[in-house]
Amino acid sequence: QVQLVESGGGLVQPGGSLRLSCVLSGNIGSVNCVGWYRQAPGKGRELVADILTGGVITYAESAKGRFTISRDYTKNLVDLQMTSLKPEDTGVYYCKAEHWGTPTSPENDYWGQGTQVTVSS
């Protein structure tokens, strides 16, 4: 089992910045990938950015050049630094940890409770 707790959301004006943090606990050694997802009102969750344990990073097109994902293994932390925020970045941001499975351990996804980000003037 892996537990995730997000923090750092809030209300910010367009053009502003926010830093989201996701603290991981539990069986962290089983995690292959950690990602940040956004769920806008009335829509499904979509990937914003993720980072593999080996360091490979993927960004959604909407996040490229504005958002930076990073992982601190000493603090069991995955951060999402968001700059130049736009109203369309509004939503609940969720952290997800993925375990891709082994011959003795089935694959599994773990989600945090989410943190609200509102970009509005």
Side-chain angles (χ1 to χ4, degrees):
Q1 290 290 324
V2 177
Q3 295 79 41
L4 306 103
V5 178
E6 302 101 330
S7 62
L11 173 65
V12 63
Q13 293 187 341
S17 300
L18 276 177
R19 188 176 190 92
L20 306 183
S21 292
C22 174
V23 177
L24 290 77
S25 61
N27 189 13
I28 299 170
S30 70
V31 173
N32 300 105
C33 177
V34 180
W36 281 96
Y37 289 72
R38 174 176 60 233
Q39 186 164 19
K43 296 187 177 181
R45 294 182 190 181
E46 60 179 4
L47 175 69
V48 176
D50 65 20
I51 181 167
L52 304 187
T53 299
V56 175
I57 292 173
T58 300
Y59 291 103
E61 284 297 321
S62 61
K64 288 180 180 177
R66 300 188 299 127
F67 296 0
T68 303
I69 189 170
S70 61
R71 184 169 179 178
D72 185 336
Y73 288 88
T74 64
K75 298 179 180 178
N76 297 325
L77 199 63
V78 176
D79 283 352
L80 184 69
Q81 177 68 48
M82 304 187 293
T83 63
S84 302
L85 283 162
K86 306 174 182 179
E88 52 264 43
D89 295 320
T90 294
V92 179
Y93 283 70
Y94 295 91
C95 185
K96 183 178 83 167
E98 300 176 16
H99 169 63
W100 293 347
T102 69
T104 59
S105 175
E107 62 183 60
N108 211 338
D109 291 340
Y110 305 92
W111 292 90
Q113 82 287 352
T115 184
Q116 177 70 46
V117 171
T118 303
V119 184
S120 175
S121 55

